[in-house]
Amino acid sequence: MSEIKDLMTKLDQFIDDRNWGPYQTPKDLAISISIEAAELLEDFQWISSEEALQKNEDNIREEIADVLIYSLMLCSKLDLDVKEIIEEKMVQNALKYPVTEKV
């Protein structure tokens, strides 16, 4: 089992153990991703990246984890293969933003 699928299985079990499934709708998970991303942005607001990392590294790590957790939960809820959708998006991005020769 891949590491991502293993994480998703652990998350699904965590949710099932607490009977949170009915509250984990795609809409609410998408909202939660946005909220956690906004909380991550707060750590960087009005200061340089270096200063933010110096002052807020622990919280930055926690907020990134929250964004990733909710994203994986949404993929699980929608029965999406994380590796597949990322690889598909990378192909799209490569077509949209081709490598140009350096002058």
Side-chain angles (χ1 to χ4, degrees), residues 9-92:
T9 299
K10 288 178 182 178
L11 287 169
D12 288 341
Q13 187 62 56
F14 185 89
I15 291 163
D16 288 346
D17 288 348
R18 288 153 181 80
N19 197 30
W20 289 351
Y23 310 103
Q24 306 293 322
T25 67
K27 174 193 71 93
D28 290 321
L29 292 169
I31 290 168
S32 296
I33 292 167
S34 182
I35 291 168
E36 297 301 337
E39 290 177 3
L40 174 61
L41 286 172
E42 282 184 314
D43 286 326
F44 291 93
Q45 189 174 24
W46 311 122
I47 56 178
S48 69
S49 295
E50 295 78 17
E51 189 178 354
L53 290 167
Q54 221 172 23
K55 291 172 117 177
N56 305 314
E57 183 179 359
D58 289 341
N59 196 63
I60 289 168
R61 291 169 54 94
E62 288 179 22
E63 298 304 340
I64 290 171
D66 286 339
V67 170
L68 292 169
I69 287 167
Y70 280 122
S71 296
L72 291 174
M73 290 167 57
L74 182 57
C75 286
S76 180
K77 183 64 79 171
L78 298 176
D79 198 28
L80 298 174
D81 183 307
V82 175
K83 182 178 184 292
E84 180 182 301
I85 65 173
I86 289 174
E87 288 176 344
E88 287 172 357
K89 185 62 178 178
M90 289 176 69
V91 168
Q92 292 173 6

Side-chain angles (χ1 to χ4, degrees), residues 90-103:
M90 289 176 69
V91 168
Q92 292 173 6
N93 286 346
L95 293 171
K96 188 174 181 180
Y97 307 105
V99 175
T100 58
E101 287 188 36
K102 294 180 182 178
V103 179

